[in-house]
Amino acid sequence: MPVNRMPEPTVRQPLPTMTDTRSTCPYCGVGCGVIIESEGAQITGVRGDPEHPANFGRLCTKGSTLHLTASAAVTMQTRLLQPMQRLQRGSAAASVPWAQALDVAADRFARIIADHGPDAVGFYVSGQLLTEDYYVFNKLAKGLIGTNNLDTNSRLCMSSAVAGYKKTLGSDAPPSCYDDFKDAQCLFIVGSNTAWAHPILFRRIEDARRANPAMKIVVIDPRRTDTCEIADLHLAIQPGTDVMLFHGMLHLMLREGWTQPAYIARHTSGFDALERTVRDCTPDQVAKVCGIEPSALIEATRLFANSPSTLSLYCMGMNQSSSGTAKNAALINLHLATAQIGKPGAGPFSLTGQPNAMGGREVGGMANLLSAHRDLANAGHRAEVAALWGVADVPAAPGKTAIEMFQAAADGEIRALWISCTNPAQSMPDQATVRRALERCEFVVVQEAFATTATCAYADLLLPATTWGEKVGTVTNSERRISRVRPAVPAPGAARHDWSAVADFATRLEARLPRRAPGTLFPYTLDDPAGAQAIWNEHRETTRGRDLDITGLSWALLDTAGPQQWPCPEDQATGPATGPATGRSLGKARLYEDGVFATPDGRARFHNAAYQPVAEARDERFPFSLNTGRLRDQWHGMSRTGTLGRLFGHVPEPLVQMNGQDMARLQLGDGDLVQVSSRRGALVLPVRASTEVGPHQSFIAMHWGEEYLSGQSSSGERIAGVNALTLPVFCPDSKQPELKHAAVRILKAELPWSLLAAAWLPADRLQATREALRALMARFAFASCVPFGAGGALQGGAAERSGVLFRAAAYEAPPAALLMEIEALLGLASDETLRYADVRRGQRRAMRLVRNASNAQEAQLEGFLLAGDTRAEAWIKTLLLDQLPAQSFGRQLLRPGATAPAGVAARGKVVCSCFGVTETAIATTLRSGTGSESERLASLQAGLRCGTNCGSCVPELKRMVRMTASEIASTPVPVAATA
Amino acid sequence: MRTPFLFLVQPTKGMDMRVNKQKLVLVGNGMAGVRTLEELLKIDATLYDITVFGAEPHPNYNRIMLSPVLAGEQTLDEIVLNPWSWYEDNHITVHAGRKVVEVDRVKRIVRAVDAQGDVVEAPYDRLLLCTGSSPFMLPVPGKDLAGVIAYRDIADTLTMIDTARTHRHAVVIGGGLLGLEAANGLMLRGMTVTVVHVNAWLMDRQLDRVAGDLLRKSLEERGLKFRLGAHTQELVGNEDGRVKAIRFKDGSEEMADLVVMAVGIRPNVGLAESMRLHCDRGIVVTDTLQTVTDARIYAVGECAAHRGIAYGLVAPLFEQAKVAANHLAEMGYGRYVGSLTSTKLKVTGIDLFSAGDFMGGEGCEEIVMNDPFGGVYKKLVIKDDKLVGACLYGDTVDGSWYFRLLREGLSVAQIRDQLMFGESIPHDAGQPHA
């Protein structure tokens, strides 16, 4: 195994010609600092910024491969590089000059606004935009056009946390900070797979636990995720029963006298009403509803209330719920009741999903918000904003939130949509409605960095945007910390910064609409960092006197003093830093230390809401709960991470996880195709038994959209991926949809004819080939199309070797022409291809053997296609992926059946993607290991170096150590067939 | 020089002295006839007084082994099947080098002449015609030039061997089995050989196009040259009346000091027709190999037309011989119902096999395997779940197995997916490999 001879990725010495640029990671809300290495216009490497207070030099599997997603090959094949116009839906888009594109957009918007009013247009933007982009969008919609129909994908992500904070603490501000981890005596992780979704924070949690072994960690999650590896106590509650759990905990606290009456009396209001509500939530009742042991409930409550400091970390499990606000508030209730807030190591800490959902809210980039956390509903706030912008007024009517916006478009109410930096045709629930909306909408603008997202197919106008490594501006992470985003390389092709394109559009629209202000509302120098800075300064001014006051900050200060937390008012900040001030913290690390909250009376309010079950309970017809969530090495719709084969080493293909008992009952085996159907749609994909999910539950990763997992539905439409199943019911307060729970039926899919084709491909053809294959997915009842990568340590672009894998199934064999098309795309239409064909039986096999350039005696499998009987996958796939010598097999490669003619041992799935260490290698090493679990883990890491770079796989390693300990040494070695 | 061979076998001690023993006369001292005699003797050696007439001055030899002889891999002695002693031991009268010119079916007398024109007569009770076949010579101008020969017997073989010593350029007309074997032999004997074939690919009666092309490639690698789809216009001779070139319809020419025609065979039915036996693409026989015209007369081998087919391969002749002998021996239960034929090319290092309906067609399903890496091509033709044809190139190990399946006509539905991978394939348990 090529593990130990690989160079240490983190000590790569920058070449003299190489430029280093400090910026931030574009993925999750941890907001890690990265140093981008570039040569000329090409990004060549990335490493963690040792001085960034979020990560101190660390990066996760996704962050440490960022530079690979910016390679020339990926850019050329996947990026949107020119403005494109589509004259007819479904036809190919043709490139047009920027000016023409924006005039077209301005004309269409102006006409629709003139004919149907400002609320006939909507803007759906993204938590991945920079604060400056957001600000211009908000000003365009609310300041110029006069509609509040501006919402973002943060609606699917953070809005319940926002509503929860505002209802209780009075302001949309996470009161805690990352440093609290080390001070916490009890960590309460709720509805968050931190180990996968926020890996760098999990590293910090591990550090804190190491420094303070007494620290207790409680994980509350229906799934037994890798995060549970570090937990002292795991409550696998039934989906959606969080409120009942928290009320039950409060009930116990009251019974045991574990609350802080003094604090409650001095700093809060509304406790009595809540007290009455929780009276009925007896331990037995809670245990029954939540499906947990009363003892576990009591233990969890004791830890929460009686630990010197309790910090809760929570994420989508709480937010993506039809009672998301109630869940957030109920948890915050506990912090208020036990005074676990406003002190080091304590507080309700919402972990942000996206890199700048926070910044978006700061500028009021939501349908119910205005600049600087101001409220639309508040006339005073509206007047303030109008004054700041120099317009008569801003519209009072609340705008349409994400789900409502697409419903309105589907109903014909909204006629023009501007979608920026997000992929609703993948990420929104109830895709049937979303797609109906996109089809019905008269004019759809998609502003994107990648031309490959599902939403691009619905655009009338495609506007190329800059992305990571090119953008300029600021972002705010989970702990209210503002970091600068700096460009390392120029924008490729004709791509422009989102704010720049939008401001350009806005001025053109301004000319076509009735005057709102004497001058232009968008006086920014386009396509110039100065413009972004001007926007930020304007935004800064709007925060004066607000809870998020940043008047004490400036770009210059951020450059010298490094990332800063808000609030940081003028008086508090010590002005422009003198001397080497990097790392100096000017802002406020922790909120509410004085017990004064952001409410009119300064008192935090207890939120009194009764427990509501999930919107769509399991029943006879739909007997399984479907949960969705993140994978360790993927991000959202995978428009970026999906370009890297190596990131598919951990979870190679789409699948649905089920509990082993349920599978046995349904007589399903690992890898069997199942049809998962809900009341809204259906999906076919392979099933896999998992100890993570409980009985009557199932899990599909949120990433699998139609770009990777599709097929043709019984009614002949293209299957829309995982969100064909999810439901659009949302929380009445936060309007956040319940992406985390849908009732589904799972049945064995009877698709007798199956296909598996895979091939190594040159980097300059890989992406284009995958896109071409992707277009063929809808020709089969089931199809998935993913890249794969060679194992081995992370070592930069040149050495990366990747390929594409296409899997499909159907009721009967498709026409040979279709298979030949697939073979041609995968380079199998060559003279070196071994073939077997039995048309009548639908059997077709092709193997491309290529002699080694160095040694003609040796030959390797470069690609294959198995059609009809694909059982040979069990060993053929291994030959290909592990690049084993194949010359000795010859024609036997064409044999049917799962048994290799000679021994073929697979390396199994990649656990550590930094060093490409596989399951098999780890299992083998572990079987010979001795000593305590920690010793064996240490020797494992010393031997194979797995988990010694980014550490994302450490929880999994720990689990494997434990499993091997509990077994006898005769563990069967996992093989590719089941990996 | 006088044709030497004349044996008159004298009665010896211990020999059956029955009077009015039946007389069996065999016309044609070749593989088909002699094999019939062998089969007969196995059943009953005492039944007949046997007399054999042969046009060639040789004992019965293995005609299909002439190619190895030409290729220098075997000698003439090695391919003799029945040495003179065999006839002697079996008390068979042989008239070698004597050509039968007339048969009187009324008096039941066979009349032959030798080189000198001396006449020999032999009466018969049963007559076995195994006159074989003659090469077909293209009716083109110059076909009678010196150096233009067929490839049929030892004489032709010796001519080729001699010519190879003295001349350079050979042209073989006919890219079939025989033609390619001749071409290969001539090439091995140092001539530059061009094979002229009228069809688009070689051995088109035994191979499909893919296999035919593979064959051409590997023969080209060995040094043979090919003119496919080429129509011969004429053979051009030099001043001393020897062929010097072959000219095609498109006007192009190839040098040729020797032209071997291997474009097919014609059953020798001249004698039979003179005897007023019904002939149609051969002497028409019944399932007992008796001629339909005269039940005393049998025909076996390339000269016989059974159910409309005159076979040119050795295997069917042997099957016919068994049945004919069975009937001659007055057992009478043997029936010949036709043969499935299979082909192998006797060119060292080239494995090809074809059998049955390898071209497929209406109601047929094909299973095809192609291994350019190993230079192997296989096609199996299946009809109604039965194997009806096979065409193998590069790897013929399973040829006999397929041929057996073909003849037995058993259903292959159960083993269909393994069929291509040979008899030895264990049945797959379907378990993932661990």
Side-chain angles (χ1 to χ4, degrees):
Chain A
M1 202 154 332
V3 167
N4 292 327
R5 44 185 163 80
M6 294 307 178
E8 168 74 44
T10 52
V11 299
R12 211 188 302 109
Q13 288 304 325
L15 302 167
T17 62
M18 200 177 268
T19 325
D20 281 359
T21 310
R22 278 196 152 75
S23 190
T24 57
C25 174
Y27 294 129
C28 76
V30 176
C32 296
V34 297
I35 296 177
I36 306 172
E37 301 161 358
S38 57
E39 291 176 58
Q42 184 54 53
I43 292 175
T44 54
V46 65
R47 56 187 203 273
D49 180 349
E51 288 169 0
H52 197 287
N55 58 317
F56 298 105
R58 283 164 154 160
L59 288 179
C60 69
T61 49
K62 298 183 286 288
S64 51
T65 52
L66 267 169
H67 59 296
L68 302 179
T69 67
S71 73
V74 171
T75 304
M76 290 315 296
Q77 294 170 84
T78 64
R79 290 288 298 277
L80 187 58
L81 297 172
Q82 298 292 332
M84 312 273 273
Q85 187 175 13
R86 194 176 270 127
L87 296 172
Q88 273 167 332
R89 294 282 173 89
S91 68
S95 68
V96 290
W98 266 105
Q100 189 185 330
L102 293 180
D103 280 331
V104 169
D107 287 338
R108 296 297 298 271
F109 269 71
R111 186 169 309 109
I112 288 169
I113 292 164
D115 297 352
H116 308 283
D119 287 337
V121 303
F123 295 84
Y124 185 61
V125 299
S126 165
Q128 292 158 73
L129 286 173
L130 306 190
T131 306
E132 294 73 13
D133 304 320
Y134 253 121
Y135 185 88
V136 178
F137 267 114
N138 204 40
K139 197 175 186 183
L140 164 64
K142 298 165 185 176
L144 175 63
I145 298 174
T147 179
N148 289 317
N149 290 344
L150 173 122
D151 214 49
T152 89
N153 61 5
S154 308
R155 184 68 63 182
L156 314 179
C157 175
M158 300 308 304
S159 53
S160 293
V162 175
Y165 278 134
K166 290 172 86 170
K167 279 198 180 299
T168 53
L169 311 181
S171 143
D172 169 18
S176 313
C177 61
Y178 298 158
D179 274 347
D180 282 322
F181 295 2
K182 63 174 167 40
D183 302 318
Q185 291 304 314
C186 172
L187 269 188
F188 223 70
I189 303 177
V190 189
S192 161
N193 185 6
T194 322
W196 283 14
H198 299 93
I200 298 306
L201 290 191
F202 202 71
R203 302 287 86 72
R204 293 182 69 157
I205 292 171
E206 289 168 339
D207 296 347
R209 166 55 88 62
R210 217 171 287 115
N212 171 18
M215 173 199 258
K216 294 292 180 197
I217 299 180
V218 181
V219 172
I220 295 164
D221 197 313
R223 285 195 305 149
R224 183 171 183 81
T225 62
D226 272 2
T227 303
C228 301
E229 279 310 302
I230 204 173
D232 301 282
L233 180 63
H234 171 218
L235 303 188
I237 61 170
Q238 284 298 308
T241 58
D242 314 52
V243 171
M244 177 57 87
L245 175 72
F246 300 143
H247 283 2
M249 289 171 70
L250 187 55
H251 176 103
L252 268 172
M253 292 172 180
L254 288 163
R255 193 181 79 184
E256 305 294 328
W258 289 342
T259 58
Q260 299 292 330
Y263 189 91
I264 295 170
R266 199 176 313 114
H267 300 296
T268 74
S269 63
F271 189 64
D272 305 350
L274 180 61
E275 212 173 344
R276 282 192 294 280
T277 308
V278 303
R279 197 166 290 151
D280 308 335
C281 305
T282 60
D284 296 346
Q285 171 70 0
V286 172
K288 194 163 125 293
V289 172
C290 299
I292 56 173
E293 288 301 316
S295 56
L297 169 67
I298 294 163
E299 176 61 7
T301 311
R302 196 183 56 74
L303 287 171
F304 188 104
N306 301 349
S307 299
S309 55
T310 298
L311 180 72
S312 47
L313 306 172
Y314 49 94
C315 201
M316 295 312 144
M318 294 264 282
N319 298 346
Q320 294 178 332
S321 160
S322 56
S323 57
T325 309
K327 286 181 179 179
N328 276 267
L331 177 59
I332 296 170
N333 286 343
L334 299 181
H335 282 274
L336 293 171
T338 54
Q340 294 283 19
I341 187 169
K343 60 183 182 183
F349 194 177
S350 148
L351 300 181
T352 315
Q354 302 193 86
N356 198 34
M358 292 283 287
R361 276 132 53 196
E362 289 158 22
V363 302
M366 288 248 184
N368 55 332
L369 297 179
L370 282 173
S371 300
H373 288 173
R374 289 182 176 85
D375 254 313
L376 259 181
N378 181 323
H381 285 178
R382 289 204 302 277
E384 287 171 32
V385 173
L388 282 161
W389 284 345
V391 295
D393 56 7
V394 291
K400 298 254 187 307
T401 62
I403 302 295
E404 299 166 317
M405 189 181 292
F406 280 85
Q407 187 60 58
D411 298 345
E413 216 178 311
I414 286 181
R415 295 157 182 273
L417 270 177
W418 185 300
I419 298 163
S420 179
C421 195
T422 184
N423 186 11
Q426 191 274 348
S427 53
M428 298 262 300
D430 186 17
Q431 280 296 313
T433 308
V434 172
R435 281 146 194 259
R436 206 166 64 245
L438 290 167
E439 276 156 13
R440 175 158 186 186
C441 198
E442 291 171 27
F443 190 60
V444 177
V445 179
V446 174
Q447 195 176 10
E448 249 298 345
F450 292 90
T452 52
T453 72
T455 310
C456 288
Y458 296 88
D460 298 293
L461 199 61
L462 287 154
L463 303 178
T466 52
T467 183
W468 178 81
E470 302 151 11
K471 285 174 85 84
V472 55
T474 58
V475 292
T476 310
N477 71 1
S478 295
E479 61 166 358
R480 293 171 281 109
R481 190 178 297 278
I482 299 172
S483 301
R484 282 280 279 108
V485 172
R486 300 184 184 85
V489 294
R496 294 175 78 180
H497 301 315
D498 294 88
W499 66 263
S500 215
V502 175
D504 194 345
F505 165 76
T507 46
R508 292 164 197 265
L509 187 62
E510 222 169 16
R512 292 165 167 82
L513 294 178
R515 273 238 162 277
R516 297 271 294 158
T520 175
L521 289 172
F522 310 92
Y524 318 116
T525 331
L526 299 182
D527 309 305
D528 182 333
Q533 186 166 6
I535 296 166
W536 188 83
N537 291 339
E538 189 176 322
H539 156 61
R540 176 180 61 183
E541 195 49 37
T542 68
T543 67
R544 188 176 294 281
R546 302 287 305 161
D547 63 325
L548 71 164
D549 192 324
I550 52 170
T551 48
L553 297 178
S554 70
W555 277 25
L557 196 62
L558 290 173
D559 290 344
T560 53
Q564 297 298 330
Q565 287 176 287
W566 58 254
C568 183
E570 230 161 1
D571 43 47
Q572 185 180 334
T574 58
T578 52
T582 316
R584 193 146 47 89
S585 188
L586 305 166
K588 201 167 187 181
R590 199 169 294 105
L591 304 180
Y592 314 128
E593 281 169 315
D594 52 5
V596 178
F597 292 89
T599 52
D601 60 4
R603 286 170 170 272
R605 303 188 212 88
F606 281 98
H607 182 67
N608 176 20
Y611 157 70
Q612 297 292 336
V614 291
E616 190 176 65
R618 301 189 291 244
D619 59 22
E620 302 71 24
R621 289 179 56 226
F622 298 96
F624 289 97
S625 292
L626 173 67
N627 189 353
T628 66
R630 283 190 171 152
L631 295 175
R632 191 191 76 190
D633 294 354
Q634 298 295 353
W635 170 257
H636 280 195
M638 306 199 287
S639 48
R640 181 180 289 278
T641 52
T643 60
L644 298 188
R646 71 156 44 240
L647 289 182
F648 286 74
H650 189 239
V651 177
E653 294 177 64
L655 55 83
V656 55
Q657 293 180 322
M658 282 180 82
N659 183 283
Q661 297 174 12
D662 293 325
M663 280 178 64
R665 193 162 41 77
L666 298 178
Q667 295 176 340
L668 295 170
D670 276 340
D672 288 357
L673 284 178
V674 292
Q675 179 169 51
V676 184
S677 38
S678 74
R679 289 177 173 82
R680 293 152 299 279
L683 188 64
V684 177
L685 74 173
V687 66
R688 166 79 53 80
S690 165
T691 52
E692 291 183 9
V693 295
H696 313 299
Q697 297 184 37
S698 62
F699 177 84
I700 300 177
M702 63 181 272
H703 310 292
W704 305 124
E706 72 156 52
E707 297 93 333
Y708 297 86
L709 168 64
S710 188
Q712 194 180 49
S713 71
S714 47
S715 50
E717 291 121 15
R718 188 185 184 88
I719 294 175
V722 59
N723 284 312
L725 304 169
T726 49
L727 78 165
V729 175
F730 51 71
C731 167
D733 300 306
S734 69
K735 310 292 177 74
Q736 180 161 1
E738 188 151 76
L739 282 159
K740 283 280 182 188
H741 187 272
V744 296
R745 182 192 309 136
I746 300 179
L747 299 172
K748 192 171 175 51
E750 295 301 342
L751 297 171
W753 185 90
S754 54
L755 167 78
L756 178 67
W760 293 106
L761 291 164
D764 59 5
R765 253 186 38 227
L766 180 82
Q767 312 298 340
T769 304
R770 203 195 73 77
E771 288 304 310
L773 285 167
R774 173 186 155 193
L776 302 178
M777 288 202 289
R779 307 269 297 272
F780 301 88
F782 151 77
S784 70
C785 182
V786 292
F788 60 84
L794 179 56
Q795 52 188 316
E800 294 290 314
R801 192 172 187 222
S802 304
V804 174
L805 181 144
F806 187 90
R807 189 186 292 278
Y811 299 98
E812 57 190 7
L818 178 52
L819 298 182
M820 285 158 78
E821 200 175 341
I822 293 170
E823 286 182 358
L825 285 167
L826 290 176
L828 294 172
S830 98
D831 298 344
E832 291 162 315
T833 304
L834 285 70
R835 296 180 174 287
Y836 173 89
D838 181 346
V839 176
R840 160 77 189 287
R841 299 259 295 113
Q843 303 287 332
R844 183 186 180 96
R845 297 191 271 282
M847 304 282 150
R848 182 156 173 259
L849 270 182
V850 174
R851 289 199 167 81
N852 286 6
S854 52
N855 169 8
Q857 296 315 307
E858 285 222 332
Q860 278 179 357
L861 195 57
E862 284 296 296
F864 71 84
L865 177 138
L866 296 172
D869 178 350
T870 54
R871 289 174 303 159
E873 157 183 10
W875 58 283
I876 293 284
K877 200 171 101 190
T878 305
L879 279 183
L880 181 84
L881 267 54
D882 296 357
Q883 306 179 77
L884 304 173
Q887 65 281 1
S888 57
F889 294 104
R891 289 188 290 293
Q892 297 304 316
L893 289 168
L894 297 168
R895 262 179 51 180
T899 316
V904 176
R907 295 186 308 194
K909 75 160 187 173
V910 175
V911 174
C912 168
S913 42
C914 296
F915 292 105
V917 186
T918 67
E919 222 166 31
T920 314
I922 293 166
T924 317
T925 314
L926 280 179
R927 261 184 265 112
S928 57
T930 55
S932 73
E933 287 188 7
S934 52
E935 286 165 8
R936 292 166 66 229
L937 176 64
S939 65
L940 187 65
Q941 290 177 312
L944 303 179
R945 301 173 73 201
C946 46
T948 56
N949 182 37
C950 80
S952 302
C953 60
V954 170
E956 196 167 350
L957 294 176
K958 284 184 179 163
R959 190 173 69 242
M960 294 184 73
V961 169
R962 212 182 55 253
M963 299 304 282
T964 333
S966 64
E967 293 168 9
I968 309 307
S970 68
T971 324
V973 178
V975 300
T978 60
Chain B
M1 158 187 150
R2 186 172 177 285
T3 322
F5 309 104
L6 168 54
F7 286 76
L8 283 176
V9 179
Q10 301 304 327
T12 61
K13 282 194 298 313
M15 182 179 166
D16 186 339
M17 299 301 293
R18 262 185 303 172
V19 288
N20 65 31
K21 205 168 157 189
Q22 289 201 78
K23 296 182 177 52
L24 169 62
V25 173
L26 163 61
V27 179
N29 184 19
M31 296 178 74
V34 176
R35 171 59 74 100
T36 311
L37 295 184
E38 287 178 325
E39 296 286 351
L40 172 61
L41 295 169
K42 266 196 245 153
I43 303 169
D44 186 340
T46 65
L47 213 47
Y48 293 99
D49 284 335
I50 304 173
T51 307
V52 177
F53 288 88
E56 277 189 79
H58 304 286
N60 175 40
Y61 61 89
N62 189 340
R63 194 181 298 284
I64 56 175
M65 294 310 279
L66 285 174
S67 294
V69 171
L70 175 61
E73 292 158 355
Q74 295 205 18
T75 66
L76 279 178
D77 308 348
E78 286 173 304
I79 68 166
V80 169
L81 288 171
N82 307 80
W84 299 122
S85 58
W86 176 84
Y87 298 87
E88 199 170 345
D89 300 347
N90 291 289
H91 321 293
I92 297 172
T93 312
V94 187
H95 300 284
R98 285 202 163 79
K99 193 172 190 308
V100 173
V101 291
E102 185 193 355
V103 174
D104 182 333
R105 286 171 47 208
V106 178
K107 296 209 182 76
R108 304 215 295 274
I109 291 173
V110 175
R111 199 168 285 116
V113 295
D114 64 15
Q116 287 66 39
D118 305 343
V119 175
V120 181
E121 288 190 350
Y124 69 86
D125 298 299
R126 304 285 180 99
L127 177 62
L128 179 56
L129 296 179
C130 299
T131 51
S133 64
S134 316
F136 174 67
M137 302 300 280
L138 282 180
V140 292
K143 69 176 175 30
D144 301 323
L145 287 165
V148 179
I149 61 167
Y151 181 30
R152 171 70 186 173
D153 53 28
I154 289 182
D156 300 326
T157 311
L158 295 174
T159 312
M160 286 193 253
I161 295 175
D162 296 342
T163 316
R165 290 204 194 88
T166 54
H167 294 78
R168 277 225 61 45
H169 302 288
V171 166
V172 176
I173 303 180
L177 205 52
L178 208 56
L180 292 178
E181 289 179 7
N184 180 63
L186 291 168
M187 181 184 66
L188 290 176
R189 290 193 178 268
M191 299 189 85
T192 58
V193 185
T194 305
V195 176
V196 174
H197 192 52
V198 70
N199 289 308
W201 69 88
L202 299 174
M203 291 182 67
D204 47 286
R205 286 178 55 211
Q206 289 87 14
L207 301 178
D208 66 9
R209 178 159 203 152
V210 183
D213 290 346
L214 285 168
L215 173 60
R216 179 177 47 77
K217 282 202 200 71
S218 67
L219 288 175
E220 279 170 344
E221 284 163 13
R222 292 157 169 260
L224 284 179
K225 292 188 281 146
F226 292 95
R227 290 284 302 256
L228 297 181
H231 295 262
T232 307
Q233 177 78 29
E234 68 167 312
L235 302 175
V236 187
N238 62 13
E239 47 286 351
D240 10 333
R242 180 178 183 89
V243 66
K244 70 169 188 194
I246 175 173
R247 182 176 300 137
F248 301 100
K249 279 216 166 62
D250 64 9
S252 61
E253 286 192 5
E254 286 279 345
M255 287 171 70
D257 313 318
L258 173 71
V259 173
V260 179
M261 290 209 190
V263 292
I265 54 172
R266 296 284 178 276
N268 293 331
V269 295
L271 179 64
E273 277 169 341
S274 71
M275 296 161 63
R276 303 276 185 284
L277 297 176
H278 173 53
C279 296
D280 177 6
R281 272 180 271 143
I283 308 165
V284 180
V285 295
T286 66
D287 286 358
T288 51
L289 284 309
Q290 294 165 286
T291 61
V292 292
T293 318
D294 184 337
R296 289 179 176 277
I297 304 179
Y298 299 74
V300 171
E302 292 175 330
C303 65
H306 173 265
R307 299 189 185 180
I309 305 171
Y311 295 92
L313 295 162
V314 69
L317 311 195
F318 289 170
E319 289 168 21
Q320 292 176 350
K322 256 194 161 49
V323 176
N326 176 279
H327 200 270
L328 282 166
E330 295 168 354
M331 321 285 280
Y333 57 74
R335 287 290 180 278
Y336 178 71
V337 295
S339 297
L340 272 166
T341 59
S342 73
T343 307
K344 280 194 173 185
L345 179 69
K346 281 171 300 306
V347 171
T348 314
I350 292 183
D351 295 331
L352 65 79
F353 171 92
S354 99
D357 177 9
F358 63 89
M359 287 304 277
E362 189 58 29
C364 291
E365 302 148 8
E366 294 183 352
I367 308 180
V368 179
M369 180 166 80
N370 206 333
D371 173 10
F373 215 71
V376 171
Y377 167 79
K378 300 186 181 186
K379 178 164 88 175
L380 302 177
V381 180
I382 291 177
K383 189 171 190 176
D384 306 329
D385 283 337
K386 296 190 184 69
L387 188 65
V388 298
C391 176
L392 313 180
Y393 183 90
D395 170 9
T396 56
V397 175
D398 298 311
S400 49
W401 181 50
Y402 294 138
F403 197 54
R404 199 165 72 241
L405 290 172
L406 216 71
R407 299 165 61 135
E408 290 167 359
L410 300 173
S411 164
V412 295
Q414 292 314 308
I415 54 168
R416 180 168 179 149
D417 290 347
Q418 280 77 31
L419 203 54
M420 185 59 89
F421 303 91
E423 196 170 10
S424 56
I425 291 298
H427 200 69
D428 196 296
Q431 290 309 312
H433 172 78

